[in-house]
Amino acid sequence: MLFDPASSGPWRGSIDGLTLGGQNTVLAYGTDAIGAGPRLHVHPYDETFIVIAGRARFFVGDTTLDAGEGEVVFGPAGVPHRFENLGPGRLQTIDIHHSPTWIQTDLDEASQV
């Protein structure tokens, strides 16, 4: 599925690297809800987040950091991570999965350290 600004929910589209004949899968995420974001999860490959609009708090392993528009955050393979909208206003990210397909394991929030 390509980007669809009219779709409901925070995931506005994605394109697998396989579809493009490439090695990266790209997802578009956006939310207006403060505190909202993907649940804690992990991938068997690296992930790069680009904050397009707004501000987010990222939890990557034991590290917590805030990032704003134009900033990039790196999530290494095998390291649990999540992010949330700090507000005010909309958070929009482009999430680059360094894999030709999207592979994700959601984790129980209780496992978060």
Side-chain angles (χ1 to χ4, degrees):
M1 164 178 63
L2 296 176
F3 180 76
D4 181 1
S7 70
S8 62
W11 296 104
R12 300 303 173 105
S14 65
I15 184 112
D16 282 343
L18 286 176
T19 302
L20 300 175
Q23 294 300 310
N24 294 309
T25 296
V26 179
L27 287 78
Y29 178 89
T31 185
D32 294 309
I34 306 305
R39 65 185 298 173
L40 187 68
H41 62 276
V42 66
H43 308 285
Y45 50 76
D46 296 335
E47 182 174 10
T48 302
F49 305 93
I50 304 169
V51 180
I52 302 300
R55 296 181 325 124
R57 176 159 293 144
F58 286 84
F59 304 87
V60 181
D62 294 331
T63 302
T64 301
L65 58 104
D66 295 348
E69 185 173 322
E71 295 185 302
V72 176
V73 175
F74 181 73
V79 176
H81 58 275
R82 68 182 182 89
F83 61 88
E84 59 189 34
N85 184 6
L86 285 177
R90 182 165 188 78
L91 170 65
Q92 186 71 51
T93 66
I94 297 296
D95 307 341
I96 302 169
H97 292 242
H98 298 261
S99 169
T101 58
W102 184 9
I103 305 165
Q104 177 170 307
T105 302
D106 289 333
L107 303 173
D108 180 30
E109 291 294 330
S111 67
Q112 186 177 353
V113 177

